[in-house]
Amino acid sequence: MIPTLAGRLQTRVLVLATVGVLLTAVIVPVLPGTAGPLSGTYRTAYLILLAVAVAGLGWELLYHLLMQFRWDKDWPTLFGLVTVVPEGLLMWFLLDAGLVPRVHGVALSTYATMLGFVWIGQWLFVNGPIRVVLVQWRLRGGRVL
């Protein structure tokens, strides 16, 4: 079954809130370009993750609109991986412009490392283990609840 809009929204939030949080916890201590206490780096990283979640809901609406022009109303798996480019660039511009509340002065190397690590981990999870952990996920159009 093709994931529905509600299913994609729920999946995005669930995966960010679980896999994204865990991967962020793993990557923060080794992020390049960070200075100061580790607690401040964690706070900044999780605020960025929250901003990605909020912006991601908007992206899903845009993706849903674009998918209406495809005959099968779905993305090929590779498109799901490549969406990191526009989403990542938008978030970087928002960070660089100071439009993400309480986040200031993030180095591009720090952001790119975190984004790449968390994105790849989430993409791999959604295209593999989620189908084992949540067997009914695909049958419900991607809806978790």
Side-chain angles (χ1 to χ4, degrees):
M1 176 180 285
I2 296 170
T4 63
L5 176 59
R8 286 193 316 276
L9 293 170
Q10 289 178 18
T11 299
R12 184 179 282 258
V13 171
L14 175 74
V15 173
L16 271 171
T18 55
V19 177
V21 165
L22 292 173
L23 292 175
T24 300
V26 169
I27 196 67
V28 163
V30 296
L31 284 174
T34 56
L38 195 56
S39 62
T41 306
Y42 271 109
R43 182 182 73 71
T44 299
Y46 283 119
L47 286 172
I48 291 171
L49 194 66
L50 179 61
V52 167
V54 171
L57 297 177
W59 278 111
E60 287 299 339
L61 297 174
L62 176 64
Y63 296 151
H64 181 72
L65 175 68
L66 293 174
M67 281 190 275
Q68 300 314 302
F69 297 104
R70 293 186 47 83
W71 70 271
D72 61 352
K73 309 287 190 244
D74 199 6
W75 288 129
T77 303
L78 182 61
F79 280 23
L81 178 62
V82 176
T83 58
V84 69
V85 174
E87 289 191 36
L89 286 173
L90 174 68
M91 188 53 56
W92 173 249
F93 290 132
L94 293 174
L95 288 168
D96 196 43
L99 296 175
V100 178
R102 299 162 71 189
V103 176
H104 308 286
V106 177
L108 179 58
S109 61
T110 303
Y111 171 72
T113 302
M114 179 181 156
L115 177 71
F117 184 75
V118 173
W119 190 275
I120 291 292
Q122 291 182 145
W123 183 80
L124 289 171
F125 182 77
V126 167
N127 287 288
I130 197 171
R131 296 170 188 198
V132 174
V133 175
L134 300 172
V135 177
Q136 295 297 318
W137 172 81
R138 191 80 173 153
L139 300 176
R140 291 189 210 143
R143 290 188 323 270
V144 179
L145 303 172

